[in-house]
Amino acid sequence: MYEEIALMSATLAFHQAIPGYLTRDGDRIVVKLAVGGVQPEIVRLRTEPDNEEALTDMTRVEAHDGWAWYQAEIEIPEPDVQMRYLFKLVWSDRLLWYGALGLDEGVPTLNQMFRYLPDHQVPDWVSRQVFYQIFPDRFAEGDPNTTPETDAYDYLHGLTAQRRSWGDAPLAHQGPVEFFGGDLPGIEQRLDYLADELGVTALYLNPVFTSRSNHKYDTVDYYTVDPHLGGNEALVSLSDRLHEKGMKLMLDAVINHTSVYHPWFQRALQGDAECRARYVFQGDDNEQPHYASWKGHDSLPVLDFANPANVETFITGEDSVIKHWLRPPYNIDGWRMDVIHMLGEGAGARNNHHHVRGLRHAIKSHNPDAYLLGEHFFEATPWLQGDQEDGAMNYYGFGHPVRAFLAGLDIAYDPIRLDAAGLARWLAKARAAIPFAQQQAQLNQLDSHDTRRLITMLNDDAALFQAAIGLLMTYIGAPCLYYGDEIAMPGGDDPDCRRSFPWDRDDWSSAAFSATQRWIRYRRASEALQTGALIDLYAEGDVYVFARVLAGEQCLVAVNRGEGRDVVVADGLTPLAGQWQCLEGGGELGRADLNLSLRLPARSTVLWRRQAD
């Protein structure tokens, strides 16, 4: 990233693990740093190969247009050892350190160092995707004969299955037992809409395995796609069609807990010791059974991964749940792991990281190119150091701060005041704490099945919502639309955020749909937006400006949540001969000395792009 220390020096610096700046060459790593403005007399690369400082002199290899490039080579660390590194810039009378949060006089802390784990890279396809999350029962009905009829079966606490008409409002008191008829054939029938008209390239489906609920986070059978969604054959057909269109498919795995209706749990209640040992029961067999459940929900008994049988069934076994669906004929491309940080031994999450590492090994040994995504509502830094998850659902590092900045609400919908400077700090700290590869593999969303819809949080401010879509499609990581985002579909708290998709286009926001189509096209046409580094350039009041950069392409993004205004931005970008072109937002860009002057429309995201001639 980039940061200017205006009072200390007129020096700029840039490094990130993009091509040309960090390159693996056999058993060595080539590291490069760009320095602009006042040049240091000595530049050193600081590493910690044995948890102690090692300094390597960097050689100046190139200089032009006020910038110089310095290079060093070091040996690759031992397998599974994360390389942490910084840059030390020395003058005759002072020095500066350059780490993941920019230039600083003091030595950056460990979580502000650049980091790289050579032998644990994420699939390079992830950041190139535009994901689309689907709650299967609410997206599209393909086979009306599969939908459960009212009172077809019992649930818990006196609830029974309820068949609802498409377009009816979900009812909170019915919760998990309302079925609107969406299924996998319905998704397959809408692939032309998703891929060709909208432009998304990957689907993330909420759970599809057999369950008595509509959300299916209470699995009854892990080896069978719910017949009400079309069964196993429907998943095979959907997967085949997706891959024919060059798309990817990610499923949702729920292995922290099962349904109370899972055969293991039912047998456990009858006194089966082997099945009882799969769960966390309190008390002896002669007492009324008490069991640990997910966040106190008695429908979701927690699995105990101290039991080797669970580890084998779900993770390590030859036909484990995780491996089964990666194989033909299903061939899924990745797993989103529900509440992955809660997976563990006993009633808590003991030895969680051990089991997540085992999960990674099981997935990658079967398909090294599969995506391992973890669900975390809060900070996921410990799981994102290269040896566990490829990426996380980026609530902490994107969703929370973006909603706070645009809607003035925190994750609990309490009021929060966050200006652009606060937004930039929050985003930068979240990025700095994880390797660049994991930054690229974060799944960024504006809302999801667990949150209010952003358009509702914004009180139907259409312009601000479209600005949010622009930020989503330009920020580092993989953007993911929650079904209906593209038409500004409203929704409050669960279950209202899970309405059925309105296929009557008269009910759509055509402006939101057109804007989303455009932003997706920009994302897919730009290598810098997909894989480039992110540089913060300006953050003050209502305006946040950043750039996405590669050696031959730069994109400049300005997000303005307030009234139209002019801002002057220090030009901290390395030189590129191409001319800036405004792609979206209608803003104006000019250059004065070493600054960029931007004229920004109200409540907008503006995108400029330039490429090497």
Side-chain angles (χ1 to χ4, degrees), residues 395 398-419 423 426 446 451-460 464 491-493 561:
Y395 288 106
F398 182 79
H400 294 353
V402 167
R403 291 198 292 262
F405 177 66
L406 295 178
L409 297 172
D410 79 348
I411 187 57
Y413 310 113
D414 291 323
I416 181 173
R417 293 182 180 180
L418 190 73
D419 64 6
L423 171 68
W426 190 335
L446 299 170
T451 72
R452 295 176 189 171
R453 298 273 185 170
L454 181 62
I455 186 65
T456 298
M457 286 188 267
L458 294 174
N459 297 315
D460 299 319
L464 205 52
D493 293 336
R561 70 178 181 185

Side-chain angles (χ1 to χ4, degrees), residues 149-160:
E149 297 294 337
T150 295
D151 298 330
Y153 57 79
D154 294 332
Y155 191 62
L156 295 172
H157 311 301
L159 295 175
T160 62

Side-chain angles (χ1 to χ4, degrees), residues 592-611:
D593 298 324
L594 298 178
N595 296 320
L596 299 173
S597 61
L598 310 178
R599 174 156 291 179
L600 305 177
R603 304 197 318 285
S604 66
T605 295
V606 182
L607 172 64
W608 293 272
R609 181 189 185 196
R610 67 178 178 181
Q611 295 176 283

Side-chain angles (χ1 to χ4, degrees), residues 40-79:
E41 297 171 20
I42 299 172
V43 179
R44 294 189 176 107
L45 173 67
R46 181 189 189 272
T47 55
E48 296 184 338
D50 51 6
N51 294 324
E52 183 65 35
E53 178 182 75
L55 293 172
T56 303
D57 287 337
M58 301 189 75
T59 303
R60 182 165 166 161
V61 294
E62 181 183 354
H64 58 84
D65 298 307
W67 287 78
W69 284 260
Y70 299 82
Q71 181 173 298
E73 291 188 18
I74 58 173
E75 292 184 359
I76 289 179
E78 296 179 11

Side-chain angles (χ1 to χ4, degrees), residues 114 203 231 566 606:
F114 294 107
L203 298 188
D566 296 341
V606 182

Side-chain angles (χ1 to χ4, degrees), residues 194-508:
L194 290 168
D196 302 332
E197 187 174 359
L198 182 56
V200 300
T201 61
L203 298 188
Y204 150 43
L205 306 185
N206 287 106
V208 299
F209 303 117
T210 299
S211 163
R212 295 195 183 192
S213 71
N214 53 44
H215 57 70
K216 309 207 177 300
Y217 283 96
D218 49 352
T219 310
V220 172
D221 184 348
Y222 287 91
Y223 290 94
T224 304
V225 174
D226 197 303
H228 299 305
L229 296 180
N232 288 15
E233 297 80 7
L235 181 62
V236 172
S237 181
L238 175 60
S239 178
D240 286 347
R241 180 83 188 285
L242 280 165
H243 291 129
E244 288 171 4
K245 295 179 79 68
M247 300 176 73
K248 303 288 187 179
L249 175 62
M250 179 169 65
L251 296 186
D252 205 330
V254 188
I255 66 173
N256 174 72
H257 48 266
T258 73
S259 167
V260 292
Y261 292 109
H262 193 288
W264 295 339
F265 193 77
Q266 290 297 303
R267 291 199 293 268
L269 293 179
Q270 300 303 314
D272 186 312
E274 184 176 334
C275 290
R276 186 183 177 98
R278 286 188 179 268
Y279 297 91
V280 182
F281 279 88
Q282 290 94 27
D284 61 40
D285 293 343
N286 297 320
E287 296 179 343
Q288 181 70 23
H290 297 283
Y291 55 90
S293 60
W294 179 77
K295 298 189 75 171
H297 293 276
D298 58 2
S299 61
L300 304 173
V302 168
L303 289 160
D304 188 357
F305 277 80
N307 185 340
N310 281 337
V311 177
E312 181 177 5
T313 299
F314 289 101
I315 300 174
T316 62
E318 184 59 28
D319 193 35
S320 69
V321 171
I322 291 302
K323 295 176 183 177
H324 180 81
W325 300 99
L326 291 167
R327 294 193 181 108
Y330 309 106
N331 298 310
I332 71 167
D333 300 289
W335 283 110
R336 180 265 196 189
M337 304 301 302
D338 183 61
V339 295
I340 191 171
H341 54 290
M342 302 179 78
L343 186 75
E345 301 173 6
R350 295 196 305 273
N351 289 326
N352 171 264
H353 293 288
H354 166 75
H355 292 294
V356 177
R357 290 186 185 99
L359 180 65
R360 180 182 183 85
H361 177 75
I363 291 174
K364 301 298 182 176
S365 63
H366 191 76
N367 179 4
D369 212 30
Y371 181 31
L372 172 54
L373 176 75
E375 182 207 20
H376 302 262
F377 243 76
F378 297 96
E379 185 179 1
T381 297
W383 290 267
L384 294 170
Q385 296 305 312
D387 61 334
Q388 296 178 62
E389 300 166 25
D390 291 322
M393 295 188 74
N394 201 15
Y395 288 106
Y396 170 76
F398 182 79
H400 294 353
V402 167
R403 291 198 292 262
F405 177 66
L406 295 178
L409 297 172
D410 79 348
I411 187 57
Y413 310 113
D414 291 323
I416 181 173
R417 293 182 180 180
L418 190 73
D419 64 6
L423 171 68
R425 281 194 301 271
W426 190 335
L427 294 172
K429 287 179 180 179
R431 293 194 307 271
I434 63 176
F436 184 69
Q438 273 61 43
Q439 294 178 36
Q440 290 187 309
Q442 295 288 76
L443 192 80
N444 299 324
Q445 291 185 283
L446 299 170
D447 42 30
S448 75
H449 64 292
D450 285 324
T451 72
R452 295 176 189 171
R453 298 273 185 170
L454 181 62
I455 186 65
T456 298
M457 286 188 267
L458 294 174
N459 297 315
D460 299 319
D461 188 322
L464 205 52
F465 180 75
Q466 291 174 41
I469 294 290
L471 176 56
L472 174 68
M473 292 298 163
T474 54
Y475 195 72
I476 190 169
C480 181
L481 296 165
Y482 179 43
Y483 79 99
D485 281 348
E486 72 272 26
I487 58 171
M489 182 172 161
D493 293 336
D494 174 15
D496 193 47
C497 59
R498 304 174 182 182
R499 301 181 189 182
S500 50
F501 189 96
W503 287 104
D504 184 344
R505 298 198 178 208
D506 289 339
D507 296 327
W508 296 11

